[in-house]
C-alpha cells in the first residue's frame, strides 16, 4: 500500500516541479523585459527565485518518493 502512495506522491511532486519550472522561466522573461517597469521586473525576479526553490523542493521530494516506491 505504501508503494502505491509513494508512486502517487512521486507523480504529484513531479507535476508540481514541472509547473514551478515553467513559472520560473516565465518570471525570468518578465524580469529581463526592458519595457517592463522596474517594480514589475524586481517582483518577477523575486518570483523566479521562489519558483526555483519550489522546483528544487518538489523535484527532491519526487526523487525520494520514487526511490521509496522501488522498495
Amino acid at each position: 500500500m505504501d508503494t502505491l502512495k509513494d508512486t502517487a506522491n512521486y507523480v504529484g511532486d513531479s507535476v508540481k516541479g514541472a509547473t514551478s519550472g515553467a513559472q520560473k522561466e516565465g518570471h525570468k522573461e518578465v524580469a529581463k523585459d526592458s519595457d517592463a517597469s522596474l517594480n514589475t521586473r524586481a517582483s518577477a525576479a523575486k518570483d523566479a527565485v521562489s519558483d526555483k526553490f519550489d522546483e528544487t523542493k518538489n523535484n527532491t521530494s519526487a526523487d525520494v518518493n520514487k526511490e521509496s516506491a522501488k522498495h
Side-chain angles (χ1 to χ4, degrees), residues 20 22-32 40-41 43-49 51:
S20 294
Q23 289 176 331
K24 175 192 73 178
E25 292 303 318
H27 287 125
K28 280 174 48 178
E29 290 304 312
V30 172
K32 293 178 188 179
T40 298
R41 293 175 70 186
S43 179
K46 177 191 71 73
D47 290 342
V49 170
D51 291 336

Side-chain angles (χ1 to χ4, degrees), residues 3-5 7-8 21 26 28 32 36 43 49 58 68 71:
T3 301
L4 185 59
K5 178 182 166 194
T7 302
K28 280 174 48 178
K32 293 178 188 179
S43 179
V49 170
N58 288 319
S68 185
H71 299 15

Side-chain angles (χ1 to χ4, degrees), residues 33-70:
D33 184 2
S34 61
D35 292 332
S37 71
L38 182 59
N39 189 40
T40 298
R41 293 175 70 186
S43 179
K46 177 191 71 73
D47 290 342
V49 170
S50 177
D51 291 336
K52 177 61 178 176
F53 174 77
D54 290 342
E55 178 185 28
T56 302
K57 178 185 70 164
N58 288 319
N59 288 342
T60 300
S61 180
D63 289 342
V64 168
N65 287 316
K66 181 179 178 181
E67 288 303 312
S68 185
K70 289 180 182 179

